[in-house]
Amino acid sequence: MNEVIQYFQEIDPVLAALYATLFTWGLTAAGAGLVFLFKSPNRALMDGMLGFTGGVMVAASFWSLLAPGIEMSPGDGFVKVIPAAVGFLLGAGFIFGLDKILPHVHINFKMDEAEGVKTPWHRTTLLVLAITLHNIPEGLAVGVLFGGVASGFEGATIGGAVALALGIGLQNFPEGFAVAVPMRRHGLSRRKSWMYGQASAIVEPIAGVLGAWAVLTFEPILPYALSFAAGAMIFVVVEEVIPETQQDKYTDIATMGFIGGFIIMMTLDVGLG
């Protein structure tokens, strides 16, 4: 792991963000690849995986984004927390707007519960778009943190950036599985199910590069950008991930998955950061 951290220290930050988010995309593809082994997954396992995803996202929002963002903000007392509060609100508002516009349907919901602008699009497309909403703030968070490290901001560490990418990648694995398998169950071939599953994370490298570029170009926005990514992720967890785990009888399993994801992400961030 030390060799990985040293490698990311030595390369261009935008390139580092690209490599890190390609890694998270790759784990999504690997998770989606499980569709070649299973057609009908255990519902308890699916809810546990979704809970794990939520735990990682919440822990990353605080340990990797909000805490460093507050630490590097100027001033004291209430003044110090203003960038974090503003950025957090803007991030949540950004995903709120996308949620109202982008057509999508959540994994455990019926077609008549689809959100966003009404379209004749097939359920498979709407499922991919739902997971894409998850992945926008995740890629952005990784890119922003790598950009912050390169800008020399106190509180932004290469270890923390690597830990965030690793944590996001870990929770992307079950996400890829969670997208691909329902599509297989709805009649798509294994190959098409895998293609749709991995495609849901293609936005992460794009968001990661944009995040790193924005911070390097406009350095003063870093505290706002970190909190923006945190607000976006928390909105996704509360509005989408958690409700998806509450549609069946396995809510306790989903809750324990959440706890496990939170602990793993917290341990990675503190241990590597």
Side-chain angles (χ1 to χ4, degrees), residues 137-216:
E138 293 168 7
L140 184 64
V142 173
V144 165
L145 200 50
F146 273 107
V149 173
S151 299
F153 279 88
E154 184 179 356
T157 66
I158 193 66
V162 170
L164 178 61
L166 184 57
I168 294 297
L170 287 175
Q171 62 93 30
N172 273 7
F173 184 86
E175 269 194 1
F177 182 58
V179 177
V181 174
M183 292 181 180
R184 174 62 179 158
R185 196 168 57 236
H186 281 87
L188 271 70
S189 68
R190 286 186 169 87
R191 182 176 177 276
K192 285 187 176 180
S193 298
W194 176 80
M195 288 295 293
Y196 276 113
Q198 62 83 29
S200 65
I202 196 172
V203 71
E204 287 197 5
I206 299 170
V209 169
L210 287 176
W213 172 83
V215 169
L216 289 169

Side-chain angles (χ1 to χ4, degrees), residues 107-168:
I107 294 169
N108 293 328
F109 285 68
K110 300 176 182 178
M111 273 297 289
D112 59 8
E113 297 177 285
E115 300 179 34
V117 175
K118 300 301 181 184
T119 73
W121 295 348
H122 195 273
R123 178 180 176 85
T124 53
T125 303
L126 299 181
L127 280 170
V128 171
L129 290 176
I131 300 298
T132 299
L133 272 177
H134 295 199
N135 292 326
I136 292 173
E138 293 168 7
L140 184 64
V142 173
V144 165
L145 200 50
F146 273 107
V149 173
S151 299
F153 279 88
E154 184 179 356
T157 66
I158 193 66
V162 170
L164 178 61
L166 184 57
I168 294 297

Side-chain angles (χ1 to χ4, degrees), residues 210-236:
L210 287 176
W213 172 83
V215 169
L216 289 169
T217 306
F218 310 102
E219 289 188 10
I221 72 168
L222 181 59
Y224 296 91
L226 288 170
S227 303
F228 182 98
M233 286 210 287
I234 292 296
F235 183 93
V236 166

